[in-house]
Amino acid sequence: MSEETHTSVGRALQQARIAAGLTVDAVSSATRVRIAIVHAIEADDFAPCGGDVYARGHIRTLARAVHLDPAPLIAQFDAEHGGRPAPTPAAPLFEAERIRPERRGPNWTAAMVAAIVAVVGFVGFTAFKGGGDGNDAKSQVAEGATTTPGKAASPTPKKDKPADPTPEASDSAIAAAPQDKVTVRVSAPGGRSWISAKDHNGRMLFDGLLKKGESKTFQDNSKINLILGDAGAIQLYVNGKKIEDNFRPGAVERLTYTKGDPEAG
């Protein structure tokens, strides 16, 4: 096909939008892709997208909005831009992002020892005090109530080992998440957004559009890397806890979470 009759990716999207009776503003509102980026893509200028990965995501989103099959357009884009790149390790890409250091959990062994020492000290103090006040005082300390005079109450401390304390995080949702993995749940309650998720080896877990009301859960042994095409439409739950980040609508966010996130409490 000659260059005169060849329809570019941007031109195909523009023609489909016009045929659907949609304005650029309407497409931008429906997809949350900024108006300037929609105009640039329809002019086959993909530089404002910020890279081929984002350009592919925008093409897919716009194609669906104007009722086109995105697969041929993405294949054409890849052919014209050197093909789809092979997956690369995620560390160089995300090393400058919001990587949070892993944090150690509470030392429950030390807490248990402290609890045992406190119990033994209390029992010893009770026995010492009861020895100077007579049998009635012994009964009151041991039983917590007044007893008949002359009835002895043994101050002998219990030898049973107290039950191990149950670990309680400040957020019950954190305690429910696996401690040896990082679990990230991405939901779109307020609108749809393109998302990309990779594990710690850079393997692609998901790359596509998350529609309104849908959610995806990703899990890895050490790290999850995310790219959110429209972070304002996304709600994140990391290791069972809601992330209270005020993402702006239409903002692209690159995030990395580890199994130590977020800090308990």
Side-chain angles (χ1 to χ4, degrees), residues 49-255:
C49 296
D52 290 351
V53 172
Y54 305 113
R56 294 175 75 256
H58 290 326
I59 291 171
R60 181 182 291 104
T61 301
L62 295 178
R64 289 173 177 167
V66 297
H67 314 300
L68 281 182
D69 181 6
L73 294 178
I74 294 175
Q76 182 178 343
F77 175 83
D78 289 341
E80 294 173 352
H81 292 79
R84 183 174 182 176
T88 57
L93 178 62
F94 290 94
E95 61 185 2
E97 300 300 334
R98 300 165 55 189
I99 300 178
R100 297 167 173 83
E102 296 187 9
R103 297 176 175 85
R104 299 178 61 184
N107 190 337
W108 296 110
T109 301
M112 183 178 67
V113 172
I116 294 174
V117 171
V119 170
V120 172
F122 175 78
V123 172
F125 173 78
T126 301
F128 174 80
K129 182 178 180 181
D133 294 338
N135 291 338
D136 289 345
K138 292 179 182 180
S139 300
Q140 292 175 3
V141 172
E143 299 176 6
T146 304
T147 59
T148 303
K151 180 180 179 181
S154 175
T156 304
K158 295 183 179 179
K159 299 300 183 180
D160 294 338
K161 180 181 179 181
D164 293 339
T166 302
E168 293 182 0
S170 61
D171 194 300
S172 61
I174 297 179
Q179 298 297 314
D180 58 343
K181 297 180 182 297
V182 54
T183 304
V184 177
R185 181 172 180 265
V186 185
S187 61
R192 56 186 180 178
S193 172
W194 170 81
I195 66 171
S196 172
K198 295 182 179 180
D199 63 11
H200 73 283
N201 288 322
R203 182 173 62 90
M204 185 69 71
L205 302 176
F206 181 79
D207 179 17
L209 183 67
L210 191 66
K211 296 181 180 179
K212 182 178 180 180
E214 292 184 343
S215 63
K216 294 285 185 181
T217 301
F218 310 107
Q219 194 172 81
D220 187 66
N221 290 331
S222 61
K223 183 167 59 177
I224 294 292
N225 299 309
L226 294 176
I227 301 176
L228 307 179
D230 181 5
I234 293 300
Q235 179 62 64
L236 294 176
Y237 294 84
V238 178
N239 295 328
K241 185 171 183 179
K242 183 178 180 181
I243 301 300
E244 299 293 349
D245 282 337
N246 297 321
F247 296 132
R248 293 181 293 105
V252 177
E253 291 286 344
R254 305 175 189 174
L255 308 169

